[in-house]
Amino acid sequence: MLIDALKSRGLTYAVMVDDVQGHIHRESSKTRRVRRELRRKPVGSIVGTYASSADIASWLNELAKTSSRVTLHSYGKSVEGRDMTLVKICNSTGTTKPIVFIEAGTHAREWIGHATALWIIDQLATSADADVARLLDAADWYIVPVANPDGYEYTHSTDRFWRKNRSKNNGSACRGVDLHRNWDSQWMKVGASGRPCDEIYAGPSAFSEPETKALRDVIVAAKANVKAYFALHSYSQAWLTSWGYTGQAPPDLDPLLDVAKKGADALMAVYGTHYDVGPGAVILYAASGCSNDWVKEKAAIKYSYSLELRDTGDYGFLLPSSQIEPTAIETWEGIKTAAKLILGIE
C-alpha cells in the first residue's frame, strides 16, 4: 500500500480526495444525465454544465442563429480533424474596435476553463445588463472556448485526466503534445520536456501542432486591435502575469500588476475566493512555451494574463459541477474589471 510505504519512510502526506475514481464516476454519471436532459431543453441549458464537444458545437450554432451579436468562425482543424471555433461577439456598429481575447480549453482536463468560457459567451451574447452593453460598445470579444478539441473529447470518452492534444509522436507509442508548452516563447527553456511520454512534452518544435499554429494565426491577424488576452486554466486560484519562464520582470510589470490586482480584487469580492497575483515563474512555477507569454513577447499585446481558476487542490481537475456557476460568475467579474481598466471605461 502506498500509505504504508510513505509511513515506513517517515514521509508526511495528506489525502486531498478520498476516492478519486468514485468522484469521477459520480461526475460522469451526472454529466451523462445532463446530456440526456439537454436534448429535451431549449438552447441555453448547456451553460453551467460540463458539456461534451458535440453539445458545445450545437449550442454555439443555435446561439449564432438567435443572437445577432454572435458569429462563429472555424479557424482550422485539430490533429484528428475537428473544427476549431472562434466565437466573435460584437454589437454590429460597423466600426473597428479594440478586441478582448479569451482562450480556454488548451489543457483538456481543465473542464472548468471550458465551462467558464461558455458562461462568458452566454453573458455577452444574451445579457441586457448595462455593464455588458458598455463592454460591447467599447470592444469586440473574441473567445475560443475549446482550444484543444481532440484532447477534450478524449477526457470525456477515455481518460478524464488527459492534458495534451492527441498527436502521434514519431518513434514513441506515447501520444500528445502539451499545447501550453508549444508556443514560440522561450520554447523548451524551462518547465517543459523533450520526452513524448511526459505530460509537459513541448513537441518536436515550437508551433509543431495544428492547434497552436492556427490560434497563433488568428492572433497575428487581429493583433493590431487586441488590447487584452486572458488564457483560462486550472487549478491554483492565481492571476498570472508575465513572465512564466523567468523571474526577471518585464519593464512594464507595474501596470500589468495594477490591472491584475484590481481584477483579482473584484473576483475575490464576489465569494471571497482567494487568488494570488504575480508573475507565473514567481508565484507558481517556471514554464516556457506558454500562450500568454508569446502573446506579450511576440505579438506585442501588453495586457496578457493566464488565470488559474478554482480550486487549490481539494478537488483539483475534478471540480464538482456545483462549482461551475460561482467560478464563472467570479471570474467574469474579474475579467470585466480588468477589461474596463484596459479599455478606459469609467
Side-chain angles (χ1 to χ4, degrees), residues 50-89:
Y50 289 133
S52 68
S53 298
D55 288 336
I56 291 172
S58 296
W59 179 74
L60 288 174
N61 285 329
E62 286 300 315
L63 189 64
K65 293 176 184 177
T66 57
S67 173
S68 61
R69 301 174 185 173
V70 176
T71 56
L72 306 182
H73 304 264
S74 176
Y75 66 92
K77 298 283 188 181
S78 66
V79 166
E80 295 180 340
R82 291 183 172 86
D83 273 324
M84 296 183 291
T85 301
L86 169 68
V87 183
K88 294 184 181 181
I89 309 171

Side-chain angles (χ1 to χ4, degrees), residues 102-107 113-117 143-148 230-233:
I102 299 175
E103 161 220 323
T106 288
H107 285 151
H114 308 75
T116 297
I143 303 179
V144 175
V146 189
N148 177 9
F230 302 93
L232 304 184
H233 288 268

Side-chain angles (χ1 to χ4, degrees), residues 13-86:
Y13 64 90
V15 177
M16 304 299 290
V17 180
D18 286 318
D19 183 4
V20 171
Q21 187 56 50
H23 187 75
I24 292 173
H25 177 73
R26 287 190 296 274
E27 282 298 315
S28 296
S29 298
K30 186 182 297 183
T31 298
R32 287 193 296 270
R33 185 173 66 253
V34 167
R35 287 178 190 165
R36 289 193 298 269
E37 293 171 355
L38 282 173
R39 298 188 184 102
R40 301 190 296 270
K41 291 184 177 181
V43 65
S45 302
I46 194 175
V47 177
T49 71
Y50 289 133
S52 68
S53 298
D55 288 336
I56 291 172
S58 296
W59 179 74
L60 288 174
N61 285 329
E62 286 300 315
L63 189 64
K65 293 176 184 177
T66 57
S67 173
S68 61
R69 301 174 185 173
V70 176
T71 56
L72 306 182
H73 304 264
S74 176
Y75 66 92
K77 298 283 188 181
S78 66
V79 166
E80 295 180 340
R82 291 183 172 86
D83 273 324
M84 296 183 291
T85 301
L86 169 68

Side-chain angles (χ1 to χ4, degrees), residues 196-216:
C197 294
D198 289 348
E199 285 200 325
I200 54 172
Y201 174 52
S205 62
F207 291 124
S208 61
E209 305 310 295
E211 294 89 352
T212 51
K213 283 190 290 189
L215 185 53
R216 172 201 64 192

Side-chain angles (χ1 to χ4, degrees), residues 276-288:
D276 293 321
V277 179
V282 175
I283 68 168
L284 196 60
Y285 51 76
S288 58

Side-chain angles (χ1 to χ4, degrees), residues 107-291:
H107 285 151
R109 63 193 178 190
E110 297 170 7
W111 286 9
I112 189 59
H114 308 75
T116 297
L118 294 174
W119 179 280
I120 293 172
I121 289 169
D122 185 61
Q123 287 294 301
L124 288 165
T126 66
S127 176
D129 182 76
D131 243 6
V132 170
R134 291 165 65 211
L135 288 166
L136 286 169
D137 284 341
D140 295 336
W141 291 71
Y142 287 19
I143 303 179
V144 175
V146 189
N148 177 9
D150 299 343
Y152 185 57
E153 184 63 27
Y154 195 69
T155 63
H156 280 270
S157 67
T158 307
D159 181 355
R160 176 63 182 84
F161 289 101
W162 189 258
R163 171 184 172 98
K164 302 183 286 184
N165 74 350
R166 294 293 296 159
S167 279
K168 294 179 180 178
N169 295 310
N170 290 334
S172 175
C174 297
R175 296 186 66 164
V177 168
D178 183 347
L179 300 178
H180 202 46
R181 300 293 186 274
N182 190 240
W183 291 70
D184 188 19
S185 173
Q186 308 297 319
W187 180 77
M188 278 293 292
K189 180 177 181 179
V190 65
S193 172
R195 297 183 296 270
C197 294
D198 289 348
E199 285 200 325
I200 54 172
Y201 174 52
S205 62
F207 291 124
S208 61
E209 305 310 295
E211 294 89 352
T212 51
K213 283 190 290 189
L215 185 53
R216 172 201 64 192
D217 292 346
V218 171
I219 297 166
V220 168
K223 70 176 185 177
N225 296 313
V226 177
K227 303 304 178 186
Y229 192 93
F230 302 93
L232 304 184
H233 288 268
S234 73
Y235 56 93
S236 284
Q237 293 174 196
W239 192 304
L240 304 179
T241 66
S242 292
W243 303 111
Y245 57 81
T246 177
Q248 182 176 349
D252 57 354
L253 180 61
D254 287 346
L256 296 180
L257 278 176
D258 181 59
V259 169
K261 288 176 179 177
K262 289 174 180 175
D265 284 345
L267 183 159
M268 291 187 283
V270 181
Y271 298 109
T273 308
H274 177 75
Y275 264 60
D276 293 321
V277 179
V282 175
I283 68 168
L284 196 60
Y285 51 76
S288 58
C290 301
S291 64

